Amino acid sequence: MNHHDTPADTVLIVEDEPKIARLVADYLEGNGFSTHHLDHGDAVLPWLEHAREGGLAPDLVLLDLMLPGTDGLTLCREIRQRWPRLAVIMLTARVEEVDRLLGLELGADDYICKPFSPREVVARVKAVLRRSRAAQDPATATGSDLVLDDDGWRALADGQDLGLTAVEFQLLRVMMNAPGRIFSRDQLMDHMYRDHRIVSERTVDSHVKKLRKKIGEVWPEREIIRSVYGVGYKYQPEE
């Protein structure tokens, strides 16, 4: 039960394993969210259309990759095209799919690998909603530097929000906390994934590439994340 004056944020859980869906729903509801559950991919888009028409659109979709009917990848693309501001977190049991999720530029705000703790899901949901709201109503930020906003999980370059995903934000924060230090891919993975899941080195490279691209859109002439051949990466602010 939500005791605040503002209505509870609503999370649509799209997951065909009932036990996982129930566990996640219980934790989210215990943290003040309201939830709705769908277990078939074909039901998602019609439900979203109907919910939006009735003024009951969810704030975020937790979307499993492997679903009966329409799969999660297709649904994520459709959601992004129709409702670009609706936050989406992908759930996947297949670590090898993570590279595909990254490579396809689906536009998901974050992804979580199974098995996960329900506490992790709640934390990620809160972080993604904070970031999506901050992006829609950016606080005035000034200055000619790169600033991290830990509360909003944002990075601001010259006051401009870089629009980082949760993983990109963590990656940048780790390197910025130790300027000039060279981090191996393994060390970065340990910081990014504290559950020590197996993630390929290509995944780290993919995150770094996207992070650089976003920084480069604001500062095309500055290279603040540098590759150290055969070793890894470092954050090197300009002298």
Side-chain angles (χ1 to χ4, degrees):
M1 187 173 171
N2 192 40
H3 297 287
H4 300 288
D5 295 332
T6 52
D9 286 324
T10 303
V11 177
L12 171 61
I13 301 166
V14 186
E15 167 61 68
D16 62 327
E17 295 180 52
K19 283 183 181 173
I20 292 178
R22 186 70 255 157
L23 184 65
V24 169
D26 285 347
Y27 265 79
L28 284 167
E29 287 165 15
N31 280 268
F33 292 91
S34 59
T35 66
H36 187 86
H37 173 227
L38 297 174
D39 61 5
H40 198 286
D42 293 349
V44 176
L45 298 174
W47 187 90
L48 284 170
E49 291 275 11
H50 185 71
R52 293 187 82 81
E53 284 167 13
L56 300 169
D59 300 280
L60 183 142
V61 181
L62 273 177
L63 182 58
D64 193 37
L65 185 67
M66 305 294 287
L67 291 165
T70 313
D71 67 272
L73 294 181
T74 305
L75 287 169
C76 188
R77 275 197 213 97
E78 282 290 318
I79 289 169
R80 268 294 163 266
Q81 283 173 7
R82 296 193 201 184
W83 307 290
R85 289 188 164 187
L86 177 55
V88 178
I89 297 179
M90 301 292 295
L91 304 174
T92 176
R94 299 170 62 184
V95 173
E96 66 271 20
E97 288 288 346
V98 171
D99 287 326
R100 261 183 81 210
L101 286 178
L102 294 170
L104 283 168
E105 294 279 356
L106 286 175
D109 295 273
D110 202 354
Y111 63 86
I112 304 172
C113 288
K114 298 177 182 178
F116 48 71
S117 79
R119 284 190 189 87
E120 179 190 7
V121 175
V122 171
R124 298 281 195 99
V125 165
K126 287 180 176 176
V128 165
L129 285 173
R130 274 200 307 267
R131 281 191 291 114
S132 67
R133 291 207 172 112
Q136 288 169 35
D137 181 23
T140 52
T142 57
S144 59
D145 213 345
L146 190 58
V147 177
L148 295 188
D149 167 17
D150 280 325
D151 290 334
W153 282 55
R154 297 187 301 159
L156 302 162
D158 288 345
Q160 190 171 327
D161 189 347
L162 295 178
L164 303 185
T165 65
V167 174
E168 288 162 0
F169 178 84
Q170 286 173 288
L171 188 62
L172 182 58
R173 183 168 58 182
V174 168
M175 289 194 279
M176 281 183 70
N177 283 342
R181 177 183 163 186
I182 301 167
F183 288 90
S184 70
R185 291 171 180 81
D186 283 343
Q187 287 169 330
L188 290 171
M189 282 191 278
D190 283 346
H191 284 286
M192 286 154 55
Y193 306 105
R194 294 215 165 82
D195 52 4
H196 304 295
R197 69 178 69 122
I198 306 301
V199 182
S200 81
E201 291 192 348
R202 282 203 325 279
T203 305
V204 174
D205 292 338
S206 179
H207 283 307
V208 171
K209 185 178 174 186
K210 288 182 183 175
L211 185 52
R212 279 176 163 163
K213 185 180 174 201
K214 289 176 180 179
I215 294 169
E217 282 166 6
V218 181
W219 292 331
E221 73 292 347
R222 293 172 70 175
E223 188 194 0
I224 60 172
I225 295 175
R226 303 190 186 176
S227 302
V228 181
Y229 184 73
V231 185
Y233 300 99
K234 66 176 178 176
Y235 169 72
Q236 189 71 55
E238 293 182 333
E239 303 302 324

